Amino acid sequence: MMRTRPLKVALLGCGVVGSEVARIMTTHADDLAARIGAPVELAGVAVRRPDRVREGIDPSLVTTDATALVKRGDIDVVVEVIGGIEPARSLITAAFEHGASVVSANKALLAQDGAALHAAAEEHDKDLYYEAAVAGAIPLIRPLRESLAGDKVNRVLGIVNGTTNFILDKMDSTGAGYQEALDEATALGYAEADPTADVEGFDAAAKAAILAGIAFHSRVRLDDVYREGMTEVTAADFASAKNMGCTIKLLAICERAQDGGSVTARVHPAMIPLSHPLASVRGAYNAVFVESDASGQLMFYGPGAGGSPTASAVLGDLVAVCRNRLSGATGPGESAYAALPVSGMGDVVTRYHISLDVADKPGVLAQVATVFAEHGVSIDTVRQQGKDGEASLVVVTHRASDASLSGTVEALRKLDTVRGVASIMRVEGE
C-alpha cells in the first residue's frame, strides 16, 4: 500500500542539472511515487539568483537561504548539485544533523572529503549517495559498491571526461591541432569558457579518487591521484599512435599492485590499441573498463555529462534513498576496511612511447640502446627517420616502472647526439 504523506526533498542548486532534476520530479511524479511507495514533494529550492525565471518551479519554493532550508527538520532528502567545496560541505553536514539523507553530484567535494562526509552520514544514520558524481548517466558507483561487492576488482580504466574525449577524438579523426579542436568543443558547448579543470585532468582526477576508493575498499583522496593534462598532445603524437595501431585518450587508471599490497590512481593521456574497447569511444561519451577476478572484464558506456544524463543518475539515487527512508534502513556506506596505501607514480609499471630528436649519424642508435639497457628498461621496437643531419628516433619499451623510465630520459638528455626529447607517452590497455 502506498503511503500518502509525501517525502520532502530540498534541492540545492537549480542550474543545468538542478532544473532538470526538478522537471523530472514534476513530470514523472506518478511513476516515481509508484516506484518509491510514496509521493515525493519538492519542498524548497536554494539558489543564488532568486529573480531568474525557472520554468515549472513554484516561485514560493525558491530561497537564497540554503542553510535554513536544510535545517528545517521536515526535509527527508537533500539533493546537492551546487558543486564546489563550500558551502556544499557545510550544507551536507547540516542536512545529516537535521535528519535528512543526501544525494550529491559533487565530485570535487567527495574526492577531497568523502571520508568525513561518510562518517557524518553514519553518525546520524543517514544515506549519502553520489552516482552522478563520476560518469553522468552511466551506472558505475552502484555496480562497484553493490553488484561487485563479492568480487575482487583489480583495475578500473576509463574515459571519464567528455570534453577531453571530444577534443582528442577530433584531433584523431580530422588531424586538427589541440587549439583548433578545443575551439570547436567550446563553440559546441562541450568545453567551458575556462576549460582548465577538464583539459588539465582535475575533473578526471577527482573521479579517479572516488572510483579507486570504492573499487579497492581504501581511502583515496584527490591529492593521492597523479595528474597530467592533455594540452601538450600534438598531431605528431597521433601520427605516431596510428603507426602503432593506437589512438590517444585521456585515461583515469586505478589499479591494484601485483602483490596486492597497495593501489595507484592516475590520470594522463595515453596511447591505447585500436583493438581495445575504449579506443572506439567517440565524441563526448564516457566509458569505464573494469577488470576483476570473478567477473573478468566489464565495460560501462554512455553520456557522462549534461543536464538530462546527470539528472537521471541523481533521480536514481533519490529513488533508492527514499526507499531506504520508508523502510527505516540505510544503504551501503563507506567501505575502507582494506586500508591499502596509495603508491606514488614512480612505482607504476607500463609501456612507454618515447620520441627523440637525434643527430643523423652512425652509432646514435647504439648509444640510445645502451642508456635504456643501463637503466633496466627493455626496448620493444625502434623506428628511425632522418635527413640533412637530423633524425627522429621513436622507441617503444616493454613494461617498465615510471621511476626507471625517468632515469633513462634524464640520461638520454645528457647525450651529445640527442638534440631533445620530443614527447613521452604511456601505452595502456594491452
Side-chain angles (χ1 to χ4, degrees):
M1 179 180 296
M2 182 178 294
R3 192 181 82 165
T4 57
R5 184 174 68 80
L7 292 159
K8 294 188 176 183
V9 178
L11 179 60
L12 308 184
C14 199
V16 173
V17 176
S19 60
E20 190 67 8
V21 169
R23 184 192 69 80
I24 295 173
M25 285 184 64
T26 301
T27 58
H28 294 70
D30 291 343
D31 285 337
L32 291 173
R35 294 166 190 171
I36 292 168
V40 286
E41 173 190 318
L42 189 58
V45 181
V47 300
R48 285 184 295 177
R49 292 182 288 273
D51 297 332
R52 178 180 294 178
V53 176
R54 294 174 171 85
E55 186 177 349
I57 296 178
D58 183 347
S60 67
L61 297 177
V62 176
T63 178
T64 57
D65 194 343
T67 301
L69 178 60
V70 301
K71 290 183 175 182
R72 273 176 38 173
D74 64 337
I75 300 297
D76 294 287
V77 185
V78 169
V79 174
E80 182 271 310
V81 288
I82 57 177
I85 306 302
E86 286 292 355
R89 175 171 48 198
S90 297
L91 292 170
I92 290 174
T93 302
F96 293 140
E97 292 172 349
H98 289 79
S101 290
V102 173
V103 172
S104 176
N106 196 330
K107 54 187 172 287
L109 177 58
L110 288 159
Q112 179 172 307
D113 289 321
L117 294 177
H118 273 293
E122 183 177 359
E123 178 185 355
H124 297 284
D125 197 26
K126 296 295 178 287
D127 276 324
L128 173 62
Y129 276 48
Y130 43 91
E131 184 69 65
V134 172
I138 304 172
L140 189 57
I141 299 297
R142 193 170 289 113
L144 283 173
R145 193 160 65 168
E146 299 179 29
S147 303
L148 296 175
D151 205 345
K152 178 184 177 184
V153 175
N154 296 309
R155 196 173 197 226
V156 180
L157 172 77
I159 298 164
V160 295
N161 183 278
T163 300
T164 55
N165 199 59
F166 178 89
I167 293 169
L168 293 173
D169 182 41
K170 187 61 61 174
M171 292 176 69
D172 185 26
S173 60
T174 69
Y178 166 76
Q179 189 60 49
E180 182 183 352
L182 172 60
D183 290 344
E184 182 172 351
T186 304
L188 292 172
Y190 290 124
E192 301 286 347
D194 180 1
T196 302
D198 294 322
V199 300
E200 293 295 351
F202 291 101
D203 175 85
K207 296 170 181 177
I210 295 169
L211 289 173
I214 296 171
F216 306 130
H217 303 279
S218 302
R219 288 179 177 168
V220 180
R221 288 170 48 87
L222 180 58
D223 292 345
D224 296 322
V225 181
Y226 172 84
R227 178 194 54 79
E228 183 181 321
M230 40 79 73
T231 57
E232 301 300 319
V233 176
T234 65
D237 292 325
F238 274 101
S240 293
K242 287 181 179 180
N243 285 332
M244 291 178 58
C246 292
T247 188
I248 299 172
K249 300 291 187 182
L250 184 75
L251 298 178
I253 306 170
C254 314
E255 56 191 351
R256 191 186 300 266
Q258 287 190 340
D259 63 6
S262 64
V263 299
T264 56
R266 50 196 166 104
V267 168
H268 54 71
M271 294 182 180
I272 189 167
L274 294 175
S275 58
H276 194 281
L278 290 179
S280 62
V281 179
R282 311 302 296 269
Y285 276 74
N286 284 192
V288 177
F289 204 69
V290 178
E291 301 173 9
S292 64
D293 278 358
S295 60
Q297 297 178 331
L298 305 170
M299 182 166 162
F300 301 83
Y301 170 85
S308 293
T310 305
S312 171
V314 170
L315 267 295
D317 278 351
L318 178 63
V319 169
V321 170
C322 286
R323 286 171 174 170
N324 291 342
R325 193 86 172 180
L326 289 179
S327 66
T330 55
E334 183 187 31
S335 176
Y337 74 91
L340 296 173
V342 182
S343 297
M345 192 62 189
D347 296 326
V348 170
V349 175
T350 189
R351 297 173 67 205
Y352 289 86
H353 175 282
I354 304 102
S355 180
L356 304 172
D357 295 326
V358 299
D360 186 18
K361 63 182 183 180
V364 173
L365 180 57
Q367 286 183 335
V368 169
T370 298
V371 170
F372 276 88
E374 289 174 346
H375 289 81
V377 179
S378 176
I379 294 176
D380 182 16
T381 62
V382 177
R383 186 175 71 255
Q384 184 173 3
Q385 294 178 322
K387 65 177 183 178
D388 300 329
E390 297 296 330
S392 173
L393 188 65
V394 175
V395 178
V396 180
T397 74
H398 287 291
R399 291 175 65 82
S401 71
D402 189 83
S404 62
L405 196 283
S406 295
T408 303
V409 172
E410 185 177 348
L412 287 171
R413 295 183 192 277
K414 296 177 180 178
L415 293 177
D416 292 338
T417 51
V418 174
R419 309 296 193 219
V421 180
S423 69
I424 303 171
M425 191 167 294
R426 297 169 184 87
V427 183
E428 302 285 348
E430 297 175 85

